Amino acid sequence: MATNENLPPNVIKQLARELKNLDETPPEGIKVGVNDDDFSTIYADIEGPAGTPYENGVFRMKLILSRDFPHSPPKGYFLTKIFHPNIASNGEICVNTLKRDWNPSLGLRHVLIVVRCLLIEPFPESALNEQAGKLLLENYDEYARHARLYTGIHALKPKPKFKSVARSESTATLNADQTTNTSVCIVDTKTAVSGAVVQPTPLAPSLNTMKGGASGQEPPTTALNPVVEIGVSSGSAAAAPPVVAAAQKKEGGLVKGQDKKKIDARKKSLKRL
């Protein structure tokens, strides 16, 4: 079994940095896995690109690094069966980046991105799967049908995206509480201004429950009289409820009667003089 001892220390250090970077900021549609005891084999799950016959499938592959990596390119294999011109029946990948176009400065990220791009744009001229290459050139619809069939049978299914149900429920509860509080405030305000009958709410019982039950006794009058605050708006006094207005009118009448009695008394004393 291959171990990290098969790779030079400087290569292991470089791979560790690359793998950490791939884990923190993975390329689109690619997830990398590795055995810490064996950096010579890198595993990756590649999502089928949208708009291709490989869509809605996840394909597992591996890169095998030799002892003289990065001076020699890794070997790539698909572990998931796939119908593709540039992928052989044993999973071997044929792409120029892993052969004549290899450059020691190329990293694992570049290799994985190139392999995923191969699913978007195959190269039938250098086909390892002759049937797939021929169909791609002569009858694309038939090629796509075969590729989708393989994808549906052999490819892994993408994992559903995680959703925070608890957060959604707490948000819904908060909205419900805010709606209830708003409706209570609206009822109280209308009652204070117009003197309308109080509607049943959690803070205001219905009229039926306030009556004296079977005895038919009426509840105290104060139970139905809401507290009224008279404010000032735009420099003028706000309109008072009917009860308050009547009290003010009565008080004004008493004051006028007292003033009239004082005037009459003064007139009588002047006549005596």
Side-chain angles (χ1 to χ4, degrees), residues 133-146:
K134 185 177 181 181
L135 282 177
L136 179 60
L137 291 173
E138 298 177 358
N139 189 340
Y140 178 82
D141 291 339
E142 188 65 16
Y143 156 76
R145 187 181 72 81
H146 273 72

Side-chain angles (χ1 to χ4, degrees), residues 10-24:
N10 61 320
V11 174
I12 294 176
K13 189 174 181 180
Q14 175 188 345
L15 288 174
R17 286 197 303 266
E18 285 196 58
L19 291 170
K20 181 181 179 181
N21 181 266
L22 286 169
D23 182 63
E24 294 176 349

Side-chain angles (χ1 to χ4, degrees), residues 121-250:
E121 187 177 354
F123 295 96
E125 296 81 5
S126 57
L128 291 180
N129 185 327
E130 293 182 2
Q131 181 189 5
K134 185 177 181 181
L135 282 177
L136 179 60
L137 291 173
E138 298 177 358
N139 189 340
Y140 178 82
D141 291 339
E142 188 65 16
Y143 156 76
R145 187 181 72 81
H146 273 72
R148 280 193 293 266
L149 182 63
Y150 271 64
T151 299
I153 295 174
H154 301 291
L156 303 173
K157 303 301 178 186
K159 293 182 180 180
K161 302 298 182 182
F162 176 77
K163 293 183 179 179
S164 178
V165 178
R167 183 176 180 181
S168 300
E169 290 178 351
S170 63
T171 304
T173 304
L174 178 60
N175 293 337
D177 292 342
Q178 291 176 344
T179 304
T180 303
N181 293 338
T182 304
S183 62
V184 171
C185 292
I186 292 175
V187 170
D188 291 345
T189 304
K190 288 184 177 180
T191 305
V193 174
S194 63
V197 178
V198 179
Q199 297 296 328
T201 69
L203 301 181
S206 63
L207 293 179
N208 292 332
T209 59
M210 294 179 65
K211 291 185 178 180
S215 62
Q217 296 180 355
E218 295 294 331
T221 306
T222 55
L224 293 178
N225 289 339
V227 178
V228 179
E229 294 182 3
I230 302 175
V232 178
S233 176
S234 302
S236 59
V243 177
V244 178
Q248 291 177 344
K249 185 176 181 181
K250 184 176 180 181

